[in-house]
Amino acid sequence: MFHKGSCSARRLLLFLAALTMLLLPLSAYAEEPPDADYEETKVIPGYEENAYGYQYTGVATIVTIPAEITEMNRHMFYNNNAVRAIVVPATVAYVSDQAIADCRNLRYVCFLSGSTRVKNRFIQSVPSLTNISAPKDSAVYNMCVTDHIPVTTSRKTCFSRKKVYLLPKDTQMMPLFNAVENVTYSSSNKKIASVTKNGKVQGKKQGTAVITAVCGDVEYQYKVTVYSKTESQRVKQIRKSEKLSSDKLDTVARIKAVHDWMIRNVRYDYDSHQKGKIPGVAHTSQGSLIRKLCVCDGYAYGFQVVMKSLHIPCRIVEGSAGGETHTWNMVRIGNKWYHVDVTWDDPLIGESNHNTIPDYRYFLKSTKYMQQHSHKFNEKKYPKCTSTKYDKKGLTSYTNAFGQKVSIW
């Protein structure tokens, strides 16, 4: 039997069903989860988002990376001339290459954790940089040592050394580390050792003096000992400065320290070589160790003098390299002999002999390697250098924070 009321109820049910079908897509859309690849950028005062991530745009002198930032991306600190110090907390797990670049007044960077990973060349073009502070043997610390960037484990304002050893006319940069404020320097005896406004100390004559730096209202000091200008005293000075008597150094480390000292301190007498009028002293150990200006055999004889003081067997090798008469060394480590060419590891850059960054392309190499790199000599007269243990080391190089070419050993 047909009832009018039943028809109306059926129509109502059909209408509700249709309405539900129409609204269902809207409900589904409203409840759809956000795109997994989308992440809302956090607003951090003093930082703006760029193509790489966050960039610091503030004007603070000392900047501590906020806890919200766990990675220092590329160009985080780029072309900011206000910042003088950056503190990197343990919350920062990774620092990208060029994270700190072209900050002209940046003086130091302090890493609070030894677990922070850093990319090669994380800091570039920072001409005012005094030092970096990082835990001993951390990735940052070891990278700084490799890159020839001054580094200390201290977070306090300090000098890198408490004692400095020089000969008359020697100079050494000794800026105050971890200092943000302007620093003034003075010497207790200018006749013994003087110091410039930038912290470069120079030996004048035999004796001792105290160098004082004033930063704010606090004084910091270190002692300078100037030895007499003799070859034996030079050997003593090198051994003291490089801590060559330390039990922590093995034979390779001692040889490397002397190799590096000579490159930092001795210059090739390029002008005399070009004129064809090389003074006799340039061919001697006096030329390298006292005059600090010599040619290849001067390097070799000076290197041998220091090796003998350390009881490391060392030979002078006479031959040719690059088509010219040349002299270098051989050293013995254990029962193996290796070539060391200090002269060629102290490269002329732009025809200038003021390079102070060591190369290692001719450090502890085999005879086969040396022959492949234009070194020729009478093999019968010298020990056999057959070990290739270090032949592949020191061949990779790049530019460090100061624009210097660094060879990785």
Side-chain angles (χ1 to χ4, degrees), residues 22-23 50 97 107-108 145 151 214 219 224 248-249 259 295 314 335 341-342 351 357 360 366 400 403-404:
L22 288 170
L23 294 177
N50 61 17
D97 66 306
R107 295 190 178 182
Y108 81 94
V145 172
V151 62
V214 179
E219 291 187 350
V224 180
K248 296 180 181 180
L249 298 183
H259 168 275
V295 289
C314 181
N335 61 353
D341 190 342
V342 183
E351 297 187 349
I357 301 296
Y360 298 102
S366 68
N400 71 1
Q404 302 163 318

Side-chain angles (χ1 to χ4, degrees), residues 323-341:
E324 294 186 4
T325 301
H326 190 50
T327 306
W328 64 97
N329 298 97
M330 283 182 181
V331 293
R332 193 180 75 195
I333 302 172
N335 61 353
K336 303 288 186 181
W337 284 87
Y338 300 89
H339 294 264
V340 176
D341 190 342

Side-chain angles (χ1 to χ4, degrees), residues 235-409:
V235 172
K236 181 180 178 180
Q237 182 262 330
I238 295 173
R239 294 184 60 159
K240 285 275 192 180
S241 296
E242 304 304 314
K243 301 179 180 179
L244 297 181
S245 298
S246 171
D247 294 334
K248 296 180 181 180
L249 298 183
D250 59 15
T251 301
V252 172
R254 287 185 173 89
I255 297 171
K256 180 177 178 292
V258 177
H259 168 275
D260 292 359
W261 182 92
M262 295 195 73
I263 292 167
R264 290 197 311 270
N265 292 277
V266 181
R267 294 182 295 125
Y268 188 84
D269 197 346
Y270 180 72
D271 291 340
S272 295
H273 179 269
Q274 288 294 93
K275 295 175 183 177
K277 297 180 180 180
I278 301 173
V281 68
H283 297 282
T284 69
S285 57
Q286 287 277 318
S288 58
L289 299 180
I290 302 300
R291 185 172 178 249
K292 296 200 292 185
L293 186 65
C294 63
V295 289
C296 61
D297 42 1
Y299 278 95
Y301 283 113
F303 183 78
Q304 184 185 50
V305 166
V306 185
M307 288 296 102
K308 284 185 176 180
S309 77
L310 298 171
H311 306 291
I312 297 175
C314 181
R315 294 281 301 270
I316 299 291
V317 182
E318 295 179 343
S320 65
E324 294 186 4
T325 301
H326 190 50
T327 306
W328 64 97
N329 298 97
M330 283 182 181
V331 293
R332 193 180 75 195
I333 302 172
N335 61 353
K336 303 288 186 181
W337 284 87
Y338 300 89
H339 294 264
V340 176
D341 190 342
V342 183
T343 306
W344 276 39
D345 277 348
D346 188 8
L348 295 169
I349 299 178
E351 297 187 349
S352 169
N353 62 356
H354 291 278
N355 172 61
T356 60
I357 301 296
D359 206 340
Y360 298 102
R361 293 181 180 274
Y362 301 93
F363 181 67
L364 302 182
K365 303 304 181 185
S366 68
T367 291
K368 181 180 179 180
Y369 176 95
M370 299 298 278
Q371 289 174 335
Q372 290 174 342
H373 293 79
S374 78
H375 285 62
K376 299 179 181 180
F377 64 102
N378 187 346
E379 295 182 49
K380 296 180 180 179
K381 294 174 59 177
Y382 301 97
K384 293 182 179 180
C385 299
T386 57
S387 174
T388 59
K389 182 177 181 179
Y390 305 105
D391 279 5
K392 293 183 179 180
K393 293 199 69 174
L395 305 184
T396 302
S397 62
Y398 56 84
T399 303
N400 71 1
F402 303 108
Q404 302 163 318
K405 182 182 176 182
V406 173
S407 178
I408 303 175
W409 172 256

